[in-house]
Structure formats: structure tokens, C-alpha cells
Amino acid sequence: MARVLVVDDEASVRAALKELVQSRGWEPLVARSGAEALELVERADAVVTDFSMPEMDGMDLLRAIHERDEALPVILLTAHGSERLAVRAIRAGAYEYVAKPFDVDEMLLALARALEARELRQRDRQLTAEHAIGRRVVGVSAPMRRLLEATTRVAGKDITVLVRGETGTGKELIGSLLHAQSRRADGPLVRFNCSAIPADLAEAELFGHTRGAFTGAAQARAGFFAEANHGTLVLDEVGELPIAIQAKLLRALQDGEIQPVGSGRVEKVDVRIVACTNRDLAAEAREGRFRQDLYYRLAVVELVVPPLRERREDIPALAHEFALRYAERFDGEGVRLAPALVQRLTAADWPGNVRQLENAVARMVALSGGGEIGPEAFSGSASEPAAPRPGAGPAAAADGQTLREQLDVLERTVIARTMTAVGGNQSEAARRLGISRNTLTERLRRYEIAADFGSGGSR
């Protein structure tokens, strides 16, 4: 539903415009002054504002709005005979002007055109971003449409963004879109996986180090911040950062300064941060596991990526997109998904979200001989666990097995279920199981579990 911000200091005009907006099925946002309007403008798709208002008039409000979002269409209401003011407004960037008292049909037409222009401009930016990142973005469901709209709105604002969502939902894709639609799109896009680097090396990897700064530092190296200078640095799994490193990250965000390990010199950097996490960092901060001041710095804007179970309408399009992608990669001639298979995929549970669906489709395409893939290809795959037989479980498998063998069966089952639940994210699986990452890696190798989770298994 499109949202129209109505701004006027006269209650009767506000009420008339609100009713008019609602009559077309749009959602009205109402403000009595320019100051109130600026508190609501982030949610608006178009603005209708009176020109003559106390404290902040329509022209001042127009400039303030375009400092935040230059693509947001603003329609100015001007007094009858104020054509000179209207011309000034158009030159200043107003989308349209309407004379008061306004004609209902004229106002509705101006609003419809403004909203259409807004939608077309956002779609154009998304298509440009898709071309830049080299992949199509699927989002026909309402939750994804809202997320993509919010991503487009915030992309052009040079602020820190926290992207939160379950494992495998596609947080890294949102990070790429934010960069591709930003003013830094011509600069570097650099990713740092906070969970993949040991704590004692994280500082050197992020901020760089001098030669001889520590054992093994045979030569100086620029860190990820320096590599991302004038671009975007995506911090994947930022909740995994050690507390000590969080303090130095906070300084980099506050002052734009870093200090390489072993150096007494402070370096200036110009980097936009996009932080991704599958954790509730607000709760982590309250419980002392994450710095509260850093959380507030990261979550200037927070975008939440919906899990696949809340956007099932996207599954058919995603499945077809993955089939095309992997058919090209695996030279699968004429590969296509049968309607019955797509129905099964849509109905299935995907605890590992989009990454798990992608791995399942990739596996089916790789194993197919080309042509149509039927629903039988999905049966028994890692993404669709077989239904347990009545009485099945560790006890049912006990006949003829030693205690050690029974315990191995139980351990493998628990680890496999946990890996499925987290979409193959080994750090999260180790945390949930209460074991170290090294112990989990050894168990995955012993029980030959890792292969079930494709390329996403180490993330």
C-alpha cells in the first residue's frame, strides 16, 4: 500500500486530504507542521504539503525532504494566483503544484502520477543494482517488497545499516544492494566474516598490521577497512566479534580512524558499514554480550530479512531462478522444474531458508540428466527429511548395536538436525550444541555430514 504524507496546519485541509488519500486505497500519514512531517517522511512514498505554514514553510520542507531523499516526490499546495511561487517550487525540485482550493480530480491525478514515478524510479534503481551485482533479486511477496523498498530508500543515505535475519535468508544480498544503489557504488565492496577469523587475528585482519607486529607477520598488510576506503565494508556475523575488537570498531565508526596493529600511526578512512547478524543484538547488548554503544552505532537503520516461511510466495520464482543459474553452471541442457516439484518445494519446510532451497535445487540440477525434473528428485533430499517410522529413533536402532554405536547414531542425528536448522552455518551450530568449532568440524567429517549442506556449510 502506497503511503502519502499530508502536511498542513489547517485541520480542515488535513481532514479533506486524508479522506481523499484513503478513497484511493492509499495509506495517509498526517502532520500539522514541517517538523512533524520530517519525523514521518522516511515512511512516505509521496508528500502533499501546504506552501504557507508557520516556522517551516513548504519550500523549506521541500529542501529538507530532498536532503534526506532526493527522489521522493513532493506536491505543493499554493494559494490561487501564486504562479511565481509555483515556478520557484518546480525549479527547487517539487514534483507538481496544485492551487488551493484544489480540485479533487486534479489532486488525485497528481498523486497517482507522483506515486507511479516513485515506483518506476525505485524499480529502475533496483534493475541497475541487479546488473551491478550480477544476479536477479526475487521478491514478489509483501514482506520482501517492503524490504526491497526500504533498502532502496536507505541505500542513497550514507549511514550505517544493520541487516538482521535468520541464517540463510540472504542478508549478504541486501548488503550488495545497499552498496550498488549508493553513491559509493563505484568504490570497493569488501566483506569480512567476523566468525571465520580467530579472535587473536581479527584486529589485524580488520585494521591491518605492520611487518613484525606479531609472530608470522613477515610483511605489512592493509586491513579490510583500508581496502574498503571510499566504499562499503560488510561485516558478516558481526555478533561474533570479540568485545575487545568491538571497542576498536566503535572508534572507527565514530571518528573514521583506524590504527594498524604494531603501528603508532592513526589512519583516516572513509567507509560505510553494513553489519549483518542472525542474532538479536539488542538483547545481546542488554545481557552484556555485545557493546550497547556499538549496537546503537550499527543500528542507525535496521533492516530485517524475513525467513522463507513468511514469504512462501517467493519460493516458485526462487526455485526457477536457481534452476536456471545452476543449469548454466553445470551445462544442464533444457533443465526445467515440473509444476508438481515446485508445489512440493513451496510446501516444504526450509529451516535453512533461501540458502537451503538453493542448495537443494543445485543438487537436483547437478544430478539430473537435463530436461524436466520431477517431484521424485526431491524425495529423500537433505532438505526434506524422511518422515520417521512409528517407534523410530535411537531406541529402534538399538538391536544388535553396542552402546558406542547407539551413541554415535544419536550424536549424528542431533548434529545433522542442528546443521539443517541453521542452514549449514557451522559457527551457529557449534554455539547451539555447546561445543567448539573444531570439535564440530571433526564430527562432521567423521559422520560425513558436511557434504549435505553444499557451499553454505562453512558459513
Side-chain angles (χ1 to χ4, degrees), residues 290-368:
F290 196 86
R291 288 186 64 114
Q292 197 165 52
D293 47 4
L294 177 58
Y295 166 70
Y296 290 131
R297 278 283 175 179
L298 293 175
V300 176
V301 171
E302 186 169 346
L303 300 177
V304 180
V305 187
L308 201 51
R309 62 181 174 275
E310 294 179 6
R311 46 176 296 215
R312 288 187 180 275
E313 305 98 304
D314 292 330
I315 291 178
L318 283 167
H320 287 299
E321 177 70 16
F322 294 145
L324 288 172
R325 184 184 306 171
Y326 287 99
E328 183 178 347
R329 184 177 301 180
F330 301 148
D331 296 323
E333 187 174 346
V335 167
R336 61 190 181 280
L337 306 181
L341 171 58
V342 174
Q343 288 178 1
R344 292 193 68 178
L345 295 174
T346 304
D349 290 327
W350 298 102
N353 294 297
V354 177
R355 183 185 300 158
Q356 188 182 8
L357 172 64
E358 180 178 0
N359 288 343
V361 174
R363 186 182 303 111
M364 288 185 287
V365 171
L367 295 175
S368 75

Side-chain angles (χ1 to χ4, degrees), residues 150-352:
T151 300
T152 299
R153 287 181 186 178
V154 77
K157 303 173 178 63
D158 207 24
I159 54 178
T160 303
V161 180
L162 178 65
V163 184
R164 183 166 58 84
E166 295 179 9
T167 298
T169 49
K171 298 183 290 294
E172 70 287 345
L173 174 63
I174 299 302
S176 297
L177 286 174
L178 286 168
H179 175 74
Q181 297 179 87
S182 73
R183 299 168 187 171
R184 298 174 177 264
D186 293 333
L189 171 62
V190 178
R191 296 184 181 279
F192 176 74
N193 190 332
C194 302
S195 66
I197 305 296
D200 54 349
L201 293 179
E203 181 180 359
E205 290 291 319
L206 271 176
F207 307 116
H209 61 80
T210 61
R211 180 180 178 182
F214 51 85
T215 303
Q219 56 186 11
R221 182 188 178 282
F224 283 87
F225 262 92
E227 291 178 12
N229 200 25
H230 304 301
T232 304
L233 175 58
V234 178
L235 298 175
D236 288 320
E237 306 301 345
V238 70
E240 304 282 348
L241 272 182
I243 289 287
I245 308 301
Q246 291 178 26
K248 297 183 178 181
L249 175 59
L250 180 64
R251 177 185 179 186
L253 287 171
Q254 287 177 329
D255 305 325
E257 295 179 346
I258 61 171
Q259 185 172 356
V261 176
S263 171
R265 187 181 72 257
V266 171
E267 300 177 5
K268 279 288 197 181
V269 288
D270 174 22
V271 176
R272 182 191 193 178
I273 296 293
V274 176
C276 302
T277 183
N278 59 7
R279 299 187 181 187
D280 183 349
L281 289 191
E284 298 273 314
R286 286 194 299 270
E287 295 172 11
R289 293 193 296 268
F290 196 86
R291 288 186 64 114
Q292 197 165 52
D293 47 4
L294 177 58
Y295 166 70
Y296 290 131
R297 278 283 175 179
L298 293 175
V300 176
V301 171
E302 186 169 346
L303 300 177
V304 180
V305 187
L308 201 51
R309 62 181 174 275
E310 294 179 6
R311 46 176 296 215
R312 288 187 180 275
E313 305 98 304
D314 292 330
I315 291 178
L318 283 167
H320 287 299
E321 177 70 16
F322 294 145
L324 288 172
R325 184 184 306 171
Y326 287 99
E328 183 178 347
R329 184 177 301 180
F330 301 148
D331 296 323
E333 187 174 346
V335 167
R336 61 190 181 280
L337 306 181
L341 171 58
V342 174
Q343 288 178 1
R344 292 193 68 178
L345 295 174
T346 304
D349 290 327
W350 298 102

Side-chain angles (χ1 to χ4, degrees), residues 60-73:
D60 291 335
L61 178 59
L62 171 67
R63 295 191 186 98
I65 288 173
H66 282 179
E67 284 179 4
R68 302 184 181 202
D69 185 351
E70 60 185 4
L72 184 62

Side-chain angles (χ1 to χ4, degrees), residues 4-79:
V4 178
L5 175 57
V6 172
V7 192
D8 202 297
D9 59 326
E10 294 184 35
S12 58
V13 177
R14 290 197 306 273
L17 285 170
K18 178 181 178 180
E19 184 177 346
L20 188 65
V21 168
Q22 288 175 321
S23 72
R24 285 296 299 267
W26 301 321
E27 179 186 347
L29 307 171
V30 181
R32 295 172 296 180
S33 66
E36 281 189 12
L38 291 177
E39 294 178 2
L40 298 170
V41 73
E42 294 288 344
R43 298 166 52 197
D45 297 300
V47 180
V48 179
T49 179
D50 189 20
F51 183 90
S52 180
M53 294 186 297
E55 297 181 11
M56 180 185 291
D57 65 20
M59 192 71 76
D60 291 335
L61 178 59
L62 171 67
R63 295 191 186 98
I65 288 173
H66 282 179
E67 284 179 4
R68 302 184 181 202
D69 185 351
E70 60 185 4
L72 184 62
V74 178
I75 299 172
L76 277 174
L77 289 171
T78 61

Side-chain angles (χ1 to χ4, degrees), residues 79-98:
H80 184 70
S82 303
E83 284 77 10
R84 291 179 62 185
L85 290 176
V87 171
R88 278 181 55 208
I90 296 297
R91 288 176 177 171
Y95 178 80
E96 184 62 275
Y97 71 92
V98 176

